[in-house]
Amino acid sequence: MNASSAKSRSLSGTCILVVGASGGIGRPLVDALAGRGSRLALVGRDSSDLDDVALDGIATLRFDLASDAAPRLVAAAADALGGLDGVVCCAGAVAFGPLDKTPIDVLKEIVAVDLVGPLLLARAAIPILPAGGFILNVSGVVAELPTAGLVPYSAAKAGISAGFRALAREVRPR
């Protein structure tokens, strides 16, 4: 199916949680969603970066995807917006260099942010999303084309891509 024949979903009035809103992918996504009339809750690790992205009337929440507080985050976003129609996760952590030189705490952080965090976010969102709601996780090309010098990042992105493909099959019948 090409873009011209794909069904276009109206986003006007939809309530969407955007995790990673202050990053390189998140910022233009926030502008696009707001431009299409979505009501947004923006999430990032750094409050000052979020302040730079925030638009009038948009809720901002500080959250570290490496924590296990996803249920509280989803609940707070739903409360701020009066419900949730969708969740978009475009947060990420990356480190460059050979695996044997990557500090263990950095490796764990990448896996927590890029793999475990989005799964916990989805797990918290599934029960509260309405029929027709959506969860989108932005991955990376390294999920399909693993890259030397990016072993933890490549592994985590491949894992989350597989996880979300499986999740789509799991929740689609609902």
Side-chain angles (χ1 to χ4, degrees):
M1 176 184 308
N2 63 39
S4 63
S5 67
K7 288 184 181 179
S8 179
R9 176 183 184 153
S10 172
L11 296 175
S12 182
T14 56
C15 299
I16 302 174
L17 169 62
V18 181
V19 179
S22 58
I25 294 171
R27 285 177 187 240
L29 180 65
V30 165
D31 291 339
L33 291 170
R36 292 187 65 189
S38 295
R39 296 177 50 230
L40 305 174
L42 308 182
V43 178
R45 280 197 269 195
D46 186 318
S47 297
S48 63
D49 287 347
L50 273 177
D51 291 342
D52 292 342
V53 178
L55 305 168
D56 289 337
I58 292 182
T60 58
L61 304 161
R62 188 184 171 288
F63 175 73
D64 185 348
L65 201 54
S67 77
D68 61 355
R72 290 191 304 278
L73 170 66
V74 170
D79 287 346
L81 297 174
L84 278 180
D85 298 300
V87 176
V88 177
C89 182
C90 51
V94 66
F96 301 91
L99 179 62
D100 63 336
K101 303 290 188 226
T102 303
I104 291 171
D105 60 327
V106 171
L107 190 149
K108 288 180 177 180
E109 170 92 1
I110 291 168
V111 171
V113 171
D114 294 338
L115 177 60
V116 177
L119 291 174
L120 293 175
L121 192 62
R123 182 179 188 271
I126 289 167
I128 69 164
L129 289 173
F134 64 90
I135 303 171
L136 170 68
N137 187 74
V138 178
S139 186
V141 70
V142 297
E144 301 298 325
L145 299 169
T147 303
L150 292 171
V151 172
Y153 183 69
S154 295
K157 290 299 187 176
I160 198 60
S161 290
F164 267 75
R165 284 192 306 272
L167 179 61
R169 291 181 183 107
E170 186 173 298
V171 299
R172 187 159 306 183
R174 295 184 186 181

